[in-house]
Amino acid sequence: MDVIEVSAKTYDEAVTNALVQLGSTSDQVEIEIIEKGSSGFLGIGAKPVKIKVAKKMTPERFLNQFLSDIFDAMHMNVEILLQVDEEAHCIDVDLKGNEMGVLIGKRGQTLDSLQLLANNAVHKNFETYYKVKLDTENYRLRRKETLENLAKNIAYKVKRTKRPVSLEPMNPFERRVIHSALQNDRYVITHSEGEDPYRHIVISLKR
């Protein structure tokens, strides 16, 4: 229940009743006066004040509806859990369901695309910048650990063969994980080559 109509003897009473019903505060709603009402003559012919009160659209509520519409179109039953950090202007979204492999896609490409869509939608509809992060089944953490192990294994191969190794194309997040994993290695160095979506990392010996 996000929009209600309330009648009362006075405007203040109508607003108070509406806020109680919506479980909101005055700064979280928008109020439209439908009928101003009148006190009548000695109380005779008095008409109540009638207002329409709607919860303001917040980035959190907007994002929840946006993702719900996408999953409905995909005929998927997905539980959407949102956590908002107002100080950091960040919205963490955890998705739960029985078909999360479909949402993750190959190497997380579907999840990354969905995250990009969510970010663009929020940025388009709200002036304040919010960074949206989508995850499911701890995929981001598991992928990070996989990439860190890959980086160490490839670094060992480069040291042994003394030949540079080019990795598969990765998104910016994954490339940062590889760079970070090897930034303190005394023997190898990493750099990126190519243009997105084919941009990839090359691991080679330090000169």
Side-chain angles (χ1 to χ4, degrees), residues 14-190:
V15 170
T16 299
N17 292 341
L19 294 178
V20 171
Q21 291 185 48
L22 292 173
S24 302
T25 56
S26 57
D27 62 322
Q28 296 175 330
V29 300
E30 295 176 342
I31 301 172
E32 176 187 351
I33 299 176
I34 299 176
E35 295 179 7
K36 293 183 178 180
S38 63
S39 58
F41 178 70
L42 299 177
I44 300 174
K47 293 183 179 180
V49 174
K50 187 175 183 180
I51 61 174
K52 179 187 288 186
V53 183
K55 287 185 178 180
K56 288 182 180 178
M57 183 59 72
T58 63
E60 181 180 5
R61 290 181 57 234
F62 171 84
L63 183 58
N64 187 80
Q65 187 60 56
F66 176 79
L67 292 174
S68 294
D69 290 343
I70 290 178
F71 298 141
D72 286 345
M74 297 173 68
H75 304 292
M76 294 182 66
N77 185 18
V78 180
E79 182 182 2
I80 304 170
L81 304 175
L82 296 97
Q83 185 172 358
V84 181
D85 186 337
E86 291 293 352
E87 291 187 2
H89 287 171
C90 181
I91 305 176
D92 289 317
V93 184
D94 189 25
L95 306 174
K96 296 182 179 294
N98 297 324
E99 303 174 275
M100 294 302 94
V102 174
L103 288 185
I104 293 173
K106 185 178 180 181
R107 293 198 300 273
Q109 291 178 349
T110 303
L111 190 64
D112 288 339
S113 297
L114 187 58
Q115 179 173 278
L116 179 61
L117 284 175
N119 272 285
N120 289 342
V122 171
H123 297 167
K124 182 178 179 180
N125 287 275
F126 295 91
E127 293 183 1
T128 302
Y129 175 84
Y130 281 86
K131 183 176 181 60
V132 179
K133 299 178 182 178
L134 262 63
D135 198 6
T136 181
E137 298 180 343
N138 286 323
Y139 172 78
R140 301 293 187 191
L141 177 59
R142 291 188 287 110
R143 179 62 173 164
K144 179 174 181 290
E145 292 173 346
T146 298
L147 290 172
E148 288 173 341
N149 289 331
L150 172 67
K152 293 174 183 177
N153 290 336
I154 297 300
Y156 174 77
K157 179 180 180 180
V158 170
K159 296 171 191 175
R160 182 168 53 84
T161 64
K162 297 182 174 18
R163 294 181 178 180
V165 173
S166 297
L167 303 184
E168 64 186 13
M170 296 179 182
N171 62 40
F173 165 77
E174 295 179 331
R175 294 199 302 271
R176 284 196 298 271
V177 172
I178 298 292
H179 288 308
S180 178
L182 298 178
Q183 65 180 352
N184 295 322
D185 193 295
R186 293 186 299 170
Y187 302 103
V188 301
I189 190 171
T190 63

Side-chain angles (χ1 to χ4, degrees), residues 181-207:
L182 298 178
Q183 65 180 352
N184 295 322
D185 193 295
R186 293 186 299 170
Y187 302 103
V188 301
I189 190 171
T190 63
H191 70 276
S192 296
E193 293 183 355
E195 300 294 333
D196 287 328
Y198 306 106
R199 193 163 177 77
H200 60 277
I201 286 180
V202 177
I203 301 175
S204 56
L205 283 176
K206 287 183 179 178
R207 293 184 179 181

